[in-house]
Amino acid sequence: MTKQPAASRRHLLGAAAGGLAAAAVWPASRALAQASDGVVRIGVLDDMSGTFADQQGMGDVVSARMAIEDFGGKVLGTPVELVFGDLQNRPDIGTQIARRWYDQERVDAIFGLGNSAVALAVQQMTREKGRLNVTVAAGTTDLTGKACSPLGVAWTYDNYALARATVNAMMGENRRRWFFITSDYAFGHSLEQNATDILRKLGGEVTGTVRAPLGETDYSSYILRAAQSGAQVVGLAVAGNDLINVVKQMGEFGLMKRGIQPAAMLCLLTNVKAIGLQTAQGLIFTEAYYWDQTDPTRAFAQRFQRLHGRPPTMFQASMWGAVTHYLKAVQAAGTDAAEPVRAKMAEMPINDFMTRDGRIREDGRVIRDMYLMRAKRPEDSRGEWDLLEVVQTIPGEQAYRPLAEGECALVRKG
């Protein structure tokens, strides 16, 4: 990543049970400050060092910084600061960092929150403290369901949208019997539950399920149980390095050669690269973005790659849109106060290189198109990152859980 000149940035260093934080300021002058404390301060709180670091991590920070710089470094005549922290996939660490940011460092909005358990905890804290949170990378549908917040936004995707398209695709191939390997925390549970509900509505069958701890490295016993269950599909409600490990090990056990199809509930570009097309080819999953879709997606990916060394994942790409939309809302509201900014975010359509006519629904869910993806065969790949093909576009109004089914208290009845 290109290092910024020392004169153009300031570091805020602090530890919260091992959490990392740093900040940059664009630019230094506050003479025209109109925000509440003379600065608009944004926090990116993600997995910077663990199983999800490649798909979130410093790539999210790079994208947020790009958005701030593209906006001109100021909003309402005041500088925009960026701080970032490592949640370490632990709710206690994530909430400690968030609390310090809100109480001591006066962060106005937290973005990222790439772990469902952390995202739920921080969203509740955000609501209590009257600040904003924009969840870019966590997928639990509780964020817009029973735990919804008037100050929370679920930006990129959710587990219902991921499960729906993938399950429908497999059912369309008459693969009706599923076995689930699930990460044993809020994200994995939500993925499995959403996929199971959709599967059963379509007449499918769950032959079994196993729960694996986050960070598991040996999936052999889980894979053997799946192979012996009579399943046609192994639903992988895991992510990051866990997904990489289980798909590689399924290949070693020869499940695909025996006609047992892996279906990833959440897979990203970097995961497919790490698995390799020889093993990943044919893997089906759902995403909100792929770098090689259109001229605008390619243009952003090229800019991002010059800074980060590779194209962005859907989280890293959508971080740019989330931060940009927030800054536009601050400008339109004439303040950085949470409630009017959140109201403006909901009023304004979302249009950027990866989202066309998106909107924030009453429950905080961003409605955007989703894409059913397939990993390419090695012989069809034209380059190092030419790994995926778009199989189907799922319109946003069809992709997400119906509003009435979410149990969000903010949703008007009738």
Side-chain angles (χ1 to χ4, degrees), residues 24-297:
V25 182
W26 301 269
S29 172
R30 298 187 181 184
L32 301 176
Q34 297 176 22
S36 57
D37 59 347
V39 65
V40 173
R41 189 171 288 114
I42 291 170
V44 173
L45 184 56
D46 267 325
D47 182 357
M48 301 291 178
S49 58
T51 189
F52 309 126
D54 277 352
Q55 60 200 46
Q56 304 169 21
M58 289 305 298
D60 278 359
V61 177
V62 168
S63 191
R65 185 172 65 227
M66 290 171 66
I68 293 169
E69 292 175 344
D70 289 347
F71 206 79
K74 287 184 177 181
V75 63
L76 302 178
T78 69
V80 180
E81 291 187 2
L82 177 65
V83 302
F84 59 90
D86 185 356
L87 53 77
Q88 299 184 41
N89 294 307
R90 289 177 52 183
D92 59 336
I93 290 177
T95 52
Q96 284 177 39
I97 295 171
R99 183 174 293 107
R100 186 183 76 243
W101 282 358
Y102 286 147
D103 292 345
Q104 300 175 29
E105 299 178 21
R106 304 195 70 176
V107 168
D108 295 292
I110 294 179
F111 291 74
L113 298 169
N115 174 287
S116 288
V118 175
L120 288 166
V122 171
Q123 178 154 290
Q124 179 58 32
M125 180 191 300
T126 300
R127 183 172 188 169
E128 293 167 357
K129 293 185 178 294
R131 307 292 177 88
L132 272 169
N133 69 279
V134 182
T135 302
V136 170
T140 176
T141 49
D142 283 349
L143 288 165
T144 56
K146 58 188 178 183
C148 68
S149 164
L151 299 177
V153 178
W155 186 263
T156 309
Y157 78 113
D158 65 26
N159 292 342
Y160 181 96
L162 296 186
R164 187 178 187 276
T166 304
V167 170
N168 280 340
M170 291 292 94
M171 291 292 285
E173 297 179 6
N174 203 31
R175 295 176 179 269
R176 312 179 70 83
R177 298 190 307 277
W178 287 56
F179 185 98
F180 286 95
I181 298 177
T182 301
S183 282
D184 194 11
Y185 74 111
F187 166 80
H189 300 169
S190 175
L191 264 182
E192 180 191 316
Q193 187 61 58
N194 280 282
T196 298
D197 290 346
I198 294 165
L199 180 66
R200 286 176 172 159
K201 285 179 182 178
L202 295 174
E205 173 190 354
V206 177
T207 63
T209 183
V210 290
R211 300 283 173 87
L214 184 65
E216 178 66 272
T217 57
D218 183 3
Y219 283 88
S220 56
S221 63
Y222 309 110
I223 292 169
L224 287 173
R225 288 182 61 179
Q228 294 166 0
S229 72
Q232 298 164 299
V233 179
V234 179
L236 301 174
V238 297
N241 290 340
D242 294 346
L243 174 69
I244 293 166
N245 287 332
V246 71
V247 174
K248 283 183 174 180
Q249 290 171 38
M250 284 183 68
E252 292 168 3
F253 277 82
L255 265 68
M256 288 77 107
K257 293 179 180 178
R258 294 164 54 183
I260 301 174
Q261 173 71 42
M265 299 293 99
L266 173 60
C267 183
L268 294 111
L269 179 71
T270 51
N271 304 146
V272 175
K273 177 75 162 104
I275 294 166
L277 289 183
Q278 191 61 46
T279 298
Q281 60 182 304
L283 184 66
I284 289 286
F285 55 95
T286 304
E287 284 221 56
Y289 165 88
Y290 178 53
W291 71 269
D292 197 20
Q293 287 178 277
T294 65
D295 287 342
T297 62

Side-chain angles (χ1 to χ4, degrees), residues 120 123 127 133-135 140-155 157-158 160 342 346 359-368 396-397 399-413:
L120 288 166
Q123 178 154 290
R127 183 172 188 169
N133 69 279
V134 182
T135 302
T140 176
T141 49
D142 283 349
L143 288 165
T144 56
K146 58 188 178 183
C148 68
S149 164
L151 299 177
V153 178
W155 186 263
Y157 78 113
D158 65 26
Y160 181 96
R342 175 64 176 78
R359 64 182 179 88
I360 299 176
R361 200 168 63 176
E362 193 175 346
D363 58 353
R365 167 76 265 148
V366 168
I367 304 300
R368 66 169 79 248
E397 297 299 334
Y400 295 94
R401 180 177 62 188
L403 187 61
E405 295 180 9
E407 301 181 44
C408 173
L410 304 174
V411 176
R412 294 184 296 272
K413 306 300 180 184

Side-chain angles (χ1 to χ4, degrees), residues 364-404:
R365 167 76 265 148
V366 168
I367 304 300
R368 66 169 79 248
D369 292 350
M370 299 292 290
Y371 306 96
L372 185 68
M373 311 295 295
R374 180 186 293 118
K376 287 187 171 183
R377 298 180 303 174
E379 59 267 31
D380 295 332
S381 175
R382 299 166 298 170
E384 180 183 8
W385 292 100
D386 180 30
L387 303 175
L388 308 176
E389 59 182 334
V390 178
V391 177
Q392 180 185 356
T393 298
I394 303 96
E397 297 299 334
Q398 299 175 21
Y400 295 94
R401 180 177 62 188
L403 187 61

